[in-house]
Amino acid sequence: MEPTNDDDHRTNGSDHNHLAKRPKLSSSALITDSEIRAEFAHHQSGIARINNGSFGSCPSSIIAAQKRWQLRFLQQPDDFFFNHLQKRILHSRTIIKDLINAEHVDEVSLVDNATTAAAIVLQHVGWAFAEGRFQKGDAVVMLHCAFQAVKKSIEAYVTRAGGSVIVVHLPFPLRSEEEIVVEFRKALAKGKANGKKVRLAIIDHITSMPCVVVPVRDLVKICREEGVERVFVDAAHAIGNVHVDVEEIGADFYVSNLHKWFFCPPSVAFLYCRKSPVSPDLHHPVVSHEYGNGLAIESAWIGTRDYSSQLVIPEVLEFINRFEGGIEGIRMRNHNAVVEMGQMLATAWGTTLGCPPDMCPSMAMVGLPASLRILSDNDALNLRTRLRGHFGIEVPIHCEEIKDFQDGDARVTGYVRISHQVYNTVDDYLKLKDAILQLVRDGVTCKMLSPE
């Protein structure tokens, strides 16, 4: 879609309900395999790129659209900022509002990434501790595999203001969702001990490493039953990867990156904040002249910067709707493919998946042969580096520490996290399979690998 000077879009929530709906396309209008290859032809040749989960992927047509928006600004910045930018950002927010089933567009803010969203929510909680609205020692509950940036934001905003942290240690490999529920209930009970309160629960919708889909609806419901004051779902990987319905999930805050699985260029995310009495007290950590006008407005202007990644959302939706089934069709095909490829790899290596297939999103954890001796995070990093440098494979490696692990133990401690996006082919996974089997045949252990 070419940027135009026509900004006369109606911008209230009801006027854009049609935008998130997938248009009915004839079979001839659907994207073809050759067109998909052309959209991602800028990917480095010869690399099996099975790590979409880390940084996402942006199609060529969206890169071109972004460049047009950037040029539009550079041609006449004053006219663009004063007369067009806010209308266009509102248009993008309205599309997201419809996609995630938010009640009102004012509940949707566009921010740089999930890290920024975590800072917004945890800054708000930190102020409540610092100002005495929350009592010293009241708790924030989080999963042990939360993103490192979330852990650091808790340190920066909450613990220094007097809050305590309760960590939910999830088992891995996982056999069922119930294992998560059991551990989560234990953590809430610990947070409520001695008359204290759990002021915030942070729940990953999809954990990153190791990767599993968390039963967020069930955990949010438990939080409500147990009197948890606020719930923040960190869903960095979610949109485009699992079905997202914020009304159904019921959390107070929900964030998802749009550059991971939604084909946007870096960096853009949405932060949903359910309307409540605390809404006016949520603020962007970068203070601009819009401070006090509501989080969505504050976030739409944080000074002179490149806003183009937020402006291409309409073009991204058009790209997604070229696929049969739109966003739901893409995510289901990716899920089915990653499970199939994961099971193929596990069979070849004599291992298993790290969780049941229905707990895999468009990513899957696959056990690596125990003979590789992945016994530390450094071992995992060295193996990942070897796969990149010697085999042209980009895939994250996870080490799952086993406390009573002994020499000669045949239990699996290392896992690859494979992703599947529309540009991936079976050959990418066969390349990984053969590389690992070659290392095993050569008697390689991670102790032999040095950083490169």
Side-chain angles (χ1 to χ4, degrees):
M1 176 191 291
E2 282 283 350
T4 69
N5 288 321
D6 176 18
D7 282 307
D8 296 327
H9 297 288
R10 286 189 247 174
T11 52
N12 65 63
S14 62
D15 289 330
H16 277 296
N17 285 339
H18 66 286
L19 288 171
K21 295 179 180 178
R22 183 177 63 85
K24 293 182 179 179
L25 301 177
S26 67
S27 58
S28 60
L30 293 172
I31 195 167
T32 64
D33 289 344
S34 62
E35 288 172 331
I36 293 173
R37 288 194 296 272
E39 286 281 10
F40 298 98
H42 55 282
H43 287 183
Q44 185 177 343
S45 178
I47 302 297
R49 183 169 166 164
I50 45 182
N51 183 29
N52 192 86
S54 286
F55 299 105
S57 51
C58 188
S60 293
S61 59
I62 304 304
I63 295 172
Q66 181 182 32
K67 289 180 179 178
R68 293 194 294 268
W69 281 115
Q70 291 168 333
L71 182 59
R72 171 107 179 262
F73 156 61
L74 293 171
Q75 287 171 333
Q76 220 308 25
D78 299 84
D79 175 64
F80 186 74
F81 277 138
F82 283 106
N83 298 322
H84 305 289
L85 176 63
Q86 297 308 314
K87 294 177 184 178
R88 290 296 186 175
I89 290 179
L90 179 57
H91 184 37
S92 292
R93 287 171 47 216
T94 304
I95 289 172
I96 298 302
K97 172 255 180 190
D98 292 337
L99 282 172
I100 66 174
N101 193 33
E103 184 176 357
H104 196 279
V105 70
D106 288 350
E107 297 176 317
V108 178
S109 303
L110 294 180
V111 296
D112 282 355
N113 45 46
T115 301
T116 303
I120 291 168
V121 173
L122 290 166
Q123 172 185 255
H124 167 71
V125 173
W127 286 338
F129 278 104
E131 295 167 0
R133 286 176 283 127
F134 294 170
Q135 300 302 309
K136 302 291 184 182
D138 285 351
V140 170
V141 169
M142 70 172 185
L143 307 187
H144 84 279
C145 46
F147 283 92
Q148 192 65 20
V150 173
K151 295 177 181 179
K152 291 295 185 181
S153 290
I154 292 174
E155 179 183 330
Y157 294 114
V158 177
T159 56
R160 70 180 296 176
S164 64
V165 180
I166 306 296
V167 178
V168 184
H169 290 279
L170 301 184
F172 187 82
L174 275 164
R175 295 183 298 274
S176 70
E177 293 180 344
E178 184 59 26
E179 292 178 290
I180 297 175
V181 171
V182 168
E183 295 304 317
F184 190 75
R185 286 189 181 277
K186 289 179 184 177
L188 292 186
K190 185 176 179 182
K192 293 168 63 178
N194 301 317
K196 297 297 184 180
K197 294 183 178 180
V198 177
R199 298 296 187 172
L200 178 72
I202 304 173
I203 304 168
D204 298 72
H205 196 158
I206 301 171
T207 59
S208 179
M209 192 67 94
C211 169
V212 297
V213 177
V214 172
V216 288
R217 286 190 297 263
D218 294 341
L219 299 192
V220 172
K221 183 180 178 182
I222 291 168
C223 286
R224 301 307 183 199
E225 294 169 351
E226 296 295 328
V228 176
E229 187 144 345
R230 292 160 203 176
V231 182
F232 173 34
V233 175
D234 183 355
H237 286 276
I239 191 165
N241 205 343
V242 291
H243 181 66
V244 176
D245 184 327
V246 294
E247 286 288 301
E248 186 179 78
I249 292 167
D252 300 283
F253 313 108
Y254 188 103
V255 62
S256 185
N257 289 319
L258 296 168
H259 53 260
K260 281 187 182 288
W261 294 93
F262 195 72
F263 301 107
C264 282
S267 56
V268 58
F270 75 83
L271 173 59
Y272 162 82
C273 301
R274 188 176 63 175
K275 275 196 170 184
S276 73
V278 306
S279 298
D281 199 32
L282 291 162
H283 297 285
H284 197 284
V286 177
V287 177
S288 75
H289 67 265
E290 295 287 5
Y291 181 86
N293 290 328
L295 179 62
I297 301 302
E298 289 183 22
S299 300
W301 179 262
I302 55 172
T304 302
R305 66 185 293 274
D306 182 2
Y307 292 91
S308 61
S309 59
Q310 301 181 9
L311 302 178
V312 298
I313 289 172
E315 289 90 340
V316 171
L317 186 63
E318 287 186 2
F319 172 78
I320 287 170
N321 284 338
R322 293 172 65 194
F323 290 80
E324 185 174 1
I327 189 171
E328 293 297 311
I330 290 172
R331 75 173 188 87
M332 286 305 300
R333 284 190 294 276
N334 283 337
H335 165 76
N336 292 338
V338 85
V339 169
E340 181 182 356
M341 292 299 98
Q343 290 172 334
M344 179 272 291
L345 293 172
T347 298
W349 299 337
T351 61
T352 60
L353 297 182
C355 66
D358 61 358
M359 295 181 71
C360 297
S362 299
M363 300 181 284
M365 303 298 296
V366 187
L368 286 160
S371 63
L372 293 173
R373 315 302 284 171
I374 303 167
L375 304 179
S376 68
D377 289 340
N378 281 337
D379 288 342
L381 180 59
N382 290 343
L383 177 57
R384 179 177 185 176
T385 302
R386 176 60 62 94
L387 290 172
R388 180 191 301 124
H390 286 252
F391 297 97
I393 299 166
E394 191 59 65
V395 67
I397 311 292
H398 170 68
C399 175
E400 183 66 25
E401 183 180 353
I402 299 177
K403 292 182 179 179
D404 59 346
F405 196 87
Q406 302 290 330
D407 286 343
D409 200 324
R411 285 178 291 177
V412 170
T413 56
Y415 294 80
V416 289
R417 188 192 74 185
I418 60 171
S419 297
H420 192 281
Q421 188 48 286
V422 297
Y423 55 81
N424 285 121
T425 66
V426 173
D427 287 344
D428 295 329
Y429 306 93
L430 294 176
K431 190 173 184 178
L432 172 61
K433 179 199 74 171
D434 292 342
I436 294 299
L437 291 178
Q438 181 178 323
L439 292 173
V440 171
R441 284 195 302 269
D442 293 344
V444 172
T445 67
C446 285
K447 187 177 290 187
M448 301 176 185
L449 303 177
S450 59
E452 300 177 0

